[in-house]
Amino acid sequence: MKVFFIFGPQAVGKMTIGEIIADKLKLPLLHNHMTLELLQPLFGWTPATFSLSREFREAIFSKIAKESIGNGLVFTFVLGFDLKEDIEEFNQYKAIFADKGIDIYFIELEAELEERVYRNKTEYRLSKKASKQNVAHSEKELLLANEQHRLNSFPGEIDEKYYYRLDVTKLTAQQAANQILEQFELE
């Protein structure tokens, strides 16, 4: 079983790269908006949405790990390195798999802000994430999060056996996915 945690700031390409990796390795993809978009129409962007999303994710991960369902999972998310609750959530997700001896591949993506602002408006992203279709609001959130939070790690901050950080500013999603798979010798 192989589990991939793909993380980085908004509009860096996590979902699209995750889809390619999931397809190549025949794994399911759970991108962060799948649980959020389910709950947002019911609860809005409130603490209830985020706490229920976390509960769903934990339940999904626990079921996969506990019952050895499938060959693994690709999961994408935004991680605020300056937010204690994000770090706790990340560590809790990680423990679900690590406690069962399941290898986790940590892929951190980064890209220049200008490129992320551009990607935030792409037709494909908007077709997959209903909450991003108000592009002006989505861009405002992206810029605000970039100002207020640290969405990429410091060099050496992540010490994991299978960790790879990739600047995808000038890469297509296919090129990035290929580099990730080559890095871990999974092709």
Side-chain angles (χ1 to χ4, degrees), residues 157-183:
E157 184 174 4
I158 298 177
D159 183 25
E160 297 291 345
K161 180 179 178 183
Y162 300 111
Y163 168 72
Y164 185 51
R165 183 173 179 152
L166 183 61
D167 186 332
V168 296
T169 303
K170 297 184 185 327
L171 299 176
T172 66
Q174 186 67 58
Q175 290 169 327
N178 289 344
Q179 283 191 34
I180 292 163
L181 293 169
E182 287 171 17
Q183 171 69 25

Side-chain angles (χ1 to χ4, degrees), residues 18-29:
E19 285 175 332
I20 295 167
I21 291 172
D23 186 55
K24 280 204 177 216
L25 299 178
K26 309 276 187 268
L27 298 173
L29 170 73

Side-chain angles (χ1 to χ4, degrees), residues 65-140:
K66 189 180 216 177
E67 297 181 17
S68 297
I69 296 173
N71 297 323
L73 173 76
V74 177
F75 173 57
T76 73
F77 60 102
V78 175
L79 176 60
F81 285 90
D82 59 319
L83 298 172
K84 182 182 176 195
E85 61 272 16
D86 277 19
I87 298 299
E88 288 172 357
E89 184 175 349
F90 172 74
N91 287 330
Q92 193 167 7
Y93 293 160
K94 183 171 80 168
I96 291 169
F97 295 106
D99 289 351
K100 296 287 185 187
I102 297 168
D103 289 331
I104 307 169
Y105 295 82
F106 299 89
I107 296 106
E108 180 176 4
L109 304 178
E110 63 181 325
E112 294 173 7
L113 180 60
E114 185 177 319
E115 179 64 18
R116 291 175 39 229
V117 168
Y118 167 77
R119 290 178 184 179
N120 189 55
K121 302 171 192 168
T122 61
E123 185 177 325
Y124 188 69
R125 175 179 168 84
L126 298 178
S127 73
K128 294 285 192 169
K129 300 177 180 181
S131 64
K132 301 300 179 186
Q133 291 175 359
N134 179 339
V135 176
H137 179 72
S138 178
E139 183 173 314
K140 183 180 174 183

Side-chain angles (χ1 to χ4, degrees), residues 32-54:
N32 59 330
H33 273 265
M34 291 171 79
T35 54
L36 294 170
E37 301 280 351
L38 171 70
L39 298 164
Q40 187 277 332
L42 300 170
F43 302 104
W45 293 113
T46 64
T49 294
F50 294 98
S51 67
L52 283 170
S53 176
R54 181 178 180 167

